[in-house]
Amino acid sequence: MANKSVFAAIRGKLLPRTDATNHEGAPAYRLAPHQALAQLAATGTFNATFYADAREQLDEVLKLAWQVEPEFLAKTAVHAFEQGYMKDMPAFLLAILSQMQGDQFERAFSRVVKNGKMLRTFVQVMRSGATGRKSLGTRPKRLVLGWLEKASDVELMRAAVGNDPSLADVVKMVHPKPVSASREALYGYLLGKPHDVNALPVQVTAFEAFKRDPSLPVPNVPFQMLTALPLTKEHWAEIAETAGWQMLRQNLNTFARHGVFEVEGFAERLARRLADPAEVKRSRVFPYQLLVAYMNVDPAVPPVVRDSLQDAMEVALANVPSFGRNVVVCPDVSGSMGSSVTGHRKGSTSTVRCIDVAALVAASVLRRNPTARVLPFENDVVEVHLNARDTVMTNAAKLAAIGGGGTNCSAPLARLVKERAKVDLVLFVSDNQSWLDATAHPHQGTGTMQEWRKLKALNPKAKLVCVDIQPHATTQAKGDGDVLNVGGFSDRVFDVVASFVSSGNDPDHWVRAIDATAL
């Protein structure tokens, strides 16, 4: 019989050596610059997280951005905006890109700055000095001017909502030359300067008339422009009746605050629209967006409306793919997962926690893959019974209610190895800061990799996906043809996982997804 201790040591040495430590000081693998930037760009909010403060995240992204090619940086900015639905991160990457040689900045700018809010965010980042300068500079100023000149009157009206900087501040910075009497009057109106009232766009005229006489029809302007006016609940009901589905989802508390649900029949009509399968499918809403709405709903919102969000969730699950037969989902329910998924910042801290997102992913996968196993973990695997026929909200609430304990990412894998389980896909959703399974020697790899290697011996075709909700620059599982690290969470993650499961073995799948972005 061979000496087991000798061969066990050799098996450990074949594992990739750890070359970094995570925020708990435990061994980890450092991501390459392209991989790390891709991870951080997917979810970077520049708010304080459980493990990192805002400045640390900003400095890390700034350092990584200068270590990759301008082409990749531009594609990352576009991907973060178009696929990750990020705002601050793409603007920050654009600001860095504006200081690099080449035409990548110009090409990416038009893809990222698609509306007035993004324009103001970009200008804010440029003027903050976060990238090393506090002025726009020649190229950025030219592109900002171009956006203002091409924008329609309606787009400028939408852009006028918000401050720091306001659209008026941006106009003062770049001094656009109006090409028509209407645009000249609109700039004067925005800046509070003398202007030809008769030349103002029809939207502005209607808005000013409504301010003088609220008995007139509600003007077709961004509703945020109306909030300072003495609107009645009937006015708000009129706004809601003509609003799009996504606007309704996002403003339930606003309607409640203004007494709209006191209008007879309004709550039922709104609930029917929110749960309408055709409207849900047309809006292309994903489970995460509905989770945010559901968790943020004020108690003043009627139960019929809250329930309609659960109905919409069931329809939205059609956007979650099926991953196959032997699927295991491992949501992290440790103490650190109790932090806000977008980090902490005064006035913008989400009520949705990391554990809520992990629970949602697990419940959504279970709903679409009824034979899937769910193994929540902290110090060890936590026993919980979930019914695949229950609503996603019900199962997500069960998982999110666990919470507490340390982080041991290898625990679910060890359980599967002990059971000699048949596995095709293992999906982790965690903050990836495992420390209870820390190994003493770099050559032994992380505890996660040790257990994954054992599980692979039992299931040679199995794949591992680690969704890191609040990514930094390290991981517990070394990327390989059968291991995918995904940074951050948006509903696009489901598609990324499905693509990886069906694709060949590509260790840089996430980076290649960004690199495939056409500028």
Side-chain angles (χ1 to χ4, degrees):
M1 178 66 71
N3 187 321
K4 292 183 179 180
S5 63
V6 172
F7 283 96
I10 292 175
R11 182 176 62 182
K13 289 180 181 178
L14 292 176
L15 287 171
R17 291 177 61 92
T18 58
D19 55 5
T21 55
N22 61 22
H23 282 274
E24 287 284 4
Y29 298 102
R30 187 177 305 283
L31 296 171
H34 291 77
Q35 295 170 328
L37 182 63
Q39 298 277 64
L40 291 167
T43 190
T45 59
F46 300 126
N47 294 343
T49 66
F50 188 89
Y51 287 105
D53 62 28
R55 186 72 221 186
E56 181 182 349
Q57 293 183 48
L58 188 148
D59 290 343
E60 185 67 29
V61 173
L62 186 60
K63 180 178 70 176
L64 291 168
W66 285 99
Q67 295 179 39
V68 301
E69 308 81 16
E71 186 80 5
F72 185 79
L73 183 61
K75 290 180 177 182
T76 303
V78 171
H79 191 276
F81 177 73
E82 294 183 347
Q83 305 299 323
Y85 306 117
M86 306 301 292
K87 298 178 180 65
D88 292 355
M89 179 63 73
F92 183 59
L93 297 181
L94 269 187
I96 301 171
L97 196 60
S98 72
Q99 301 177 51
M100 297 181 176
Q101 297 295 320
D103 65 348
Q104 289 83 4
F105 170 62
E106 285 83 356
R107 290 155 60 200
F109 185 91
S110 61
R111 296 280 294 278
V112 173
V113 182
K114 304 291 280 187
N115 54 56
K117 184 173 183 179
M118 282 304 300
L119 182 80
R120 292 189 295 103
T121 300
F122 171 72
V123 172
Q124 179 188 18
V125 172
M126 289 294 297
R127 296 183 67 204
S128 71
T131 62
R133 62 185 305 169
K134 290 191 176 183
S135 62
L136 283 182
T138 303
R139 283 201 300 169
K141 181 177 179 180
R142 173 166 51 82
L143 294 183
V144 170
L145 268 171
W147 189 93
L148 291 172
E149 291 169 354
K150 293 177 182 177
S152 66
D153 293 337
V154 173
E155 286 177 313
L156 287 180
M157 291 290 286
R158 290 176 183 150
V161 176
N163 294 297
D164 300 322
S166 66
L167 181 62
D169 293 331
V170 176
V171 171
K172 291 175 185 176
M173 288 178 214
V174 299
H175 305 292
K177 294 181 180 180
V179 295
S180 66
S182 174
R183 185 53 56 92
E184 182 177 11
L186 181 55
Y187 284 150
Y189 174 80
L190 292 172
L191 295 172
K193 292 184 176 181
H195 56 275
D196 182 358
V197 176
N198 296 321
L200 285 171
V202 62
Q203 294 90 350
V204 178
T205 302
F207 175 59
E208 289 298 320
F210 181 76
K211 286 166 63 177
R212 294 189 298 270
D213 182 5
S215 67
L216 293 172
V218 177
N220 184 25
V221 297
F223 82 91
Q224 294 92 336
M225 296 181 64
L226 303 169
T227 56
L229 304 179
L231 298 179
T232 65
K233 53 190 175 185
E234 287 74 20
H235 284 139
W236 278 102
E238 186 178 343
I239 293 171
E241 295 288 358
T242 59
W245 192 95
Q246 292 282 19
M247 185 272 201
L248 294 178
R249 172 184 66 83
Q250 295 170 333
N251 290 281
L252 296 177
N253 292 346
T254 300
F255 297 146
R257 194 163 56 249
H258 290 91
V260 188
F261 293 114
E262 298 171 12
V263 176
E264 186 175 355
F266 177 80
E268 291 72 20
R269 291 196 301 274
L270 179 58
R272 283 195 296 271
R273 280 197 64 190
L274 287 175
D276 184 345
E279 289 216 45
V280 174
K281 291 176 182 176
R282 189 162 48 248
S283 71
R284 301 186 70 180
V285 67
F286 276 89
Y288 176 65
Q289 293 171 301
L290 287 164
L291 174 70
V292 171
Y294 186 81
M295 295 197 65
N296 281 290
V297 166
D298 189 273
V301 176
V304 66
V305 176
R306 178 188 289 268
D307 291 344
S308 71
L309 292 174
Q310 294 203 58
D311 296 334
M313 174 72 83
E314 296 302 312
V315 177
L317 285 175
N319 294 325
V320 178
S322 175
F323 297 129
R325 294 184 60 187
N326 300 311
V327 178
V328 182
V329 190
C330 307
D332 183 348
V333 294
S334 64
S336 61
M337 294 288 284
S339 64
S340 169
V341 70
T342 57
H344 298 280
R345 186 173 67 186
K346 186 177 181 180
S348 65
T349 300
S350 172
T351 56
V352 180
R353 304 164 299 165
C354 291
I355 195 172
D356 297 317
V357 173
L360 172 70
V361 173
S364 297
V365 172
L366 179 63
R367 189 69 163 156
R368 291 286 290 154
N369 303 263
T371 61
R373 291 184 65 184
V374 178
L375 298 179
F377 69 94
E378 32 149 276
N379 294 9
D380 203 344
V381 173
V382 179
E383 301 299 334
V384 61
H385 175 71
L386 301 178
N387 186 339
R389 294 188 178 185
D390 284 342
T391 67
V392 168
M393 295 297 192
T394 299
N395 281 332
K398 284 183 181 179
L399 290 169
I402 303 172
T407 307
N408 182 359
C409 288
S410 66
L413 298 174
R415 168 72 67 87
L416 295 170
V417 170
K418 183 179 180 180
E419 296 175 354
R420 302 184 67 82
K422 291 184 180 297
V423 173
D424 296 318
L425 171 67
V426 180
L427 175 60
F428 273 82
V429 191
S430 171
D431 59 15
N432 210 28
Q433 298 297 311
S434 191
W435 57 275
L436 283 173
D437 54 352
T439 56
H441 304 290
H443 72 270
Q444 294 179 340
T446 61
T448 299
M449 284 300 288
Q450 289 181 23
E451 296 302 328
W452 173 242
R453 183 63 60 87
K454 297 174 188 176
L455 189 61
K456 278 287 288 185
L458 299 171
N459 301 272
K461 295 184 178 180
K463 291 189 175 184
L464 172 67
V465 178
C466 300
V467 178
D468 191 346
I469 295 179
Q470 291 186 330
H472 304 289
T474 64
T475 179
Q476 288 296 295
K478 184 74 171 177
D480 203 346
D482 56 3
V483 177
L484 173 66
N485 286 292
V486 179
F489 180 80
S490 76
D491 292 299
R492 293 285 182 176
V493 166
F494 291 118
D495 293 330
V496 172
V497 175
S499 176
F500 177 68
V501 169
S502 61
S503 70
N505 293 338
D506 185 354
D508 289 322
H509 183 87
W510 189 241
V511 172
R512 292 186 194 282
I514 290 178
D515 216 22
T517 302
L519 288 180

